[in-house]
Amino acid sequence: MFHWLEQRPFFFAVMVFIFVAFAGIIEAIPDFAKQSRPTVGTKPYSVLELAGRHVYIKDSCNACHSQLIRPFKAETDRYGMYSLSGEYAYDRPFLWGSKRTGPDLMRVGNYRTTDWHENHMWDPKAVVPGSIMPAYRHHFTNIADLETAYAEAVTIKKVFNTPYDQEGMPTLGTWEEAKANMLAEAQEIASGMKNENVKQAVANGEIPEIVALIAYLNSLK
């Protein structure tokens, strides 16, 4: 058979292509499967973080900020470790972005604080001179949509088998349990803020969008 193939260059090339392609698939597919699994330490978003993510999407933050650090020195020097596919295992949808009017936010939780985000969202130019980002003061008065965030968490738990309520993972539980957890998380964030109206709202059992958004941004590490 090999002698026959050696005399027919076209068929020989086809067979080589088939064998190389098959070998490539055998090598590549397991690695792709491995890379798509959650990276060690990656957790689903808490319900409050999901609510903040909804605010982030609603106000089109992803139109100006990417969440994808490429494996280039200029990127890693500025933003930190390049992004790994497994870090997006629980992102639906992905917020990689395609434009950077502002900086990448993939690891913003490693170098920005609650206090910084509060001041920046209230008056960007006062924090970053020359910034063209608009102020988002409505986040300080608008109340986050917690029920929709909880409904999403319940849905992705059932449909995608997202590991809520497992050891080391965020707790979901009933709506009442989730609401109690959100308030506890919000109180911790509000304690690091200066805005008294936000603090009072949380004390009254309501969570302004700014608190949920900061919870989400703080989770990006």
Side-chain angles (χ1 to χ4, degrees):
M1 178 179 178
F2 290 107
H3 180 71
W4 183 87
L5 283 173
E6 289 173 354
Q7 295 177 334
R8 293 164 176 78
F10 174 77
F11 291 105
F12 183 81
V14 170
M15 291 300 296
V16 169
F17 173 79
I18 290 173
F19 277 103
V20 171
F22 180 75
I25 290 172
I26 294 300
E27 286 292 320
I29 287 180
D31 189 59
F32 281 137
K34 178 182 178 181
Q35 294 299 325
S36 66
R37 297 191 188 106
T39 304
V40 174
T42 300
K43 299 180 181 180
Y45 297 108
S46 71
V47 180
L48 184 61
E49 290 165 359
L50 277 178
R53 196 169 193 265
H54 292 171
V55 175
Y56 185 96
I57 295 171
K58 173 176 70 71
D59 280 3
S60 298
C61 298
N62 55 308
C64 292
H65 296 279
S66 62
Q67 288 184 30
L68 181 63
I69 303 172
R70 297 169 294 179
F72 305 133
K73 188 175 186 300
E75 299 256 315
T76 56
D77 283 351
R78 182 176 183 185
Y79 301 120
M81 171 67 179
Y82 58 83
S83 303
L84 302 173
S85 59
E87 294 180 292
Y88 303 99
Y90 302 119
D91 281 27
R92 296 180 177 85
F94 301 120
L95 297 176
W96 293 325
S98 58
K99 185 180 180 183
R100 285 184 185 160
T101 302
D104 188 276
L105 299 180
M106 176 65 182
R107 309 209 186 281
V108 69
N110 289 330
Y111 55 87
R112 297 302 186 198
T113 63
T114 292
D115 179 66
W116 190 93
H117 286 307
E118 177 187 13
N119 294 328
H120 186 239
M121 298 302 289
W122 183 263
D123 187 359
K125 293 181 178 63
V127 178
V128 183
S131 172
I132 62 172
M133 176 175 160
Y136 286 88
R137 297 183 181 180
H138 59 281
H139 288 167
F140 291 75
T141 53
N142 288 356
I143 302 302
D145 186 355
L146 305 179
E147 292 186 8
T148 297
Y150 177 73
E152 178 181 348
V154 171
T155 300
I156 62 177
K157 178 182 179 181
K158 292 180 179 179
V159 176
F160 299 105
N161 199 30
T162 304
Y164 284 108
D165 299 320
Q166 296 183 17
E167 184 178 357
M169 297 297 178
T171 301
L172 190 56
T174 65
W175 163 244
E176 293 302 325
E177 292 170 335
K179 189 173 182 181
N181 290 332
M182 283 186 277
L183 281 172
E185 191 176 346
Q187 287 167 356
E188 184 177 351
I189 292 171
S191 68
M193 299 177 67
K194 299 182 181 70
N195 192 293
E196 292 299 329
N197 292 330
V198 169
K199 291 186 175 184
Q200 188 60 49
V202 174
N204 293 336
E206 294 185 321
I207 301 178
E209 288 184 341
I210 185 63
V211 175
L213 180 60
I214 290 176
Y216 173 63
L217 293 173
N218 285 347
S219 75
L220 300 178
K221 298 181 178 181

